[in-house]
Amino acid sequence: MEIRHFKLPPVESALVVGVRSPIGPNAMEKALQEMMPHQYVRVDVDNERIQTIFLQATHLRRIPKQRLVQLILTNCEEMIDGTEMLHVTLDVLVAATEEVEL
């Protein structure tokens, strides 16, 4: 048995919703808006297994939406059978280099 506190946000970087998931994208969108208004962006996709991806809005300031969606689809498509939802955790690392003249 594992007992933990319920934490907000309930979704980390993204939530991938299968086409036959028991909780559909409309219900999930409503729940996320109630718990964490304006923190997630809904992206409906044309895919055999995946219907919708909810993206954490802060990630979209660092990675273009289409690039992030494609990254998630590429890595999740083979893992989902269409009846489930997948939590995605993404660590965004920004590396910067600057030359200093001495």
Side-chain angles (χ1 to χ4, degrees), residues 6-88:
F6 181 78
K7 67 177 186 171
L8 289 177
V11 175
E12 292 187 26
S13 301
L15 181 69
V16 178
V17 181
V19 293
R20 294 179 310 282
S21 173
I23 301 173
N26 292 334
M28 184 53 67
E29 181 176 34
K30 185 175 179 179
L32 288 173
Q33 285 300 324
E34 287 292 323
M35 289 185 276
M36 305 291 296
H38 312 294
Q39 298 297 310
Y40 293 92
V41 174
R42 177 180 173 167
V43 179
D44 294 318
V45 295
D46 183 21
N47 187 280
E48 290 179 9
R49 300 176 186 180
I50 298 170
Q51 182 174 6
T52 300
I53 301 172
F54 290 97
L55 301 169
Q56 191 177 67
T58 56
H59 287 318
L60 297 178
R61 287 185 286 214
R62 296 171 184 92
I63 303 173
K65 181 169 63 173
Q66 287 309 104
R67 176 69 180 110
L68 185 53
V69 167
Q70 189 56 49
L71 181 68
I72 291 170
L73 286 173
T74 298
N75 288 281
C76 293
E77 187 173 27
E78 295 301 317
M79 295 180 63
I80 193 167
D81 70 1
T83 63
E84 48 197 358
M85 300 171 90
L86 300 177
H87 284 273
V88 176

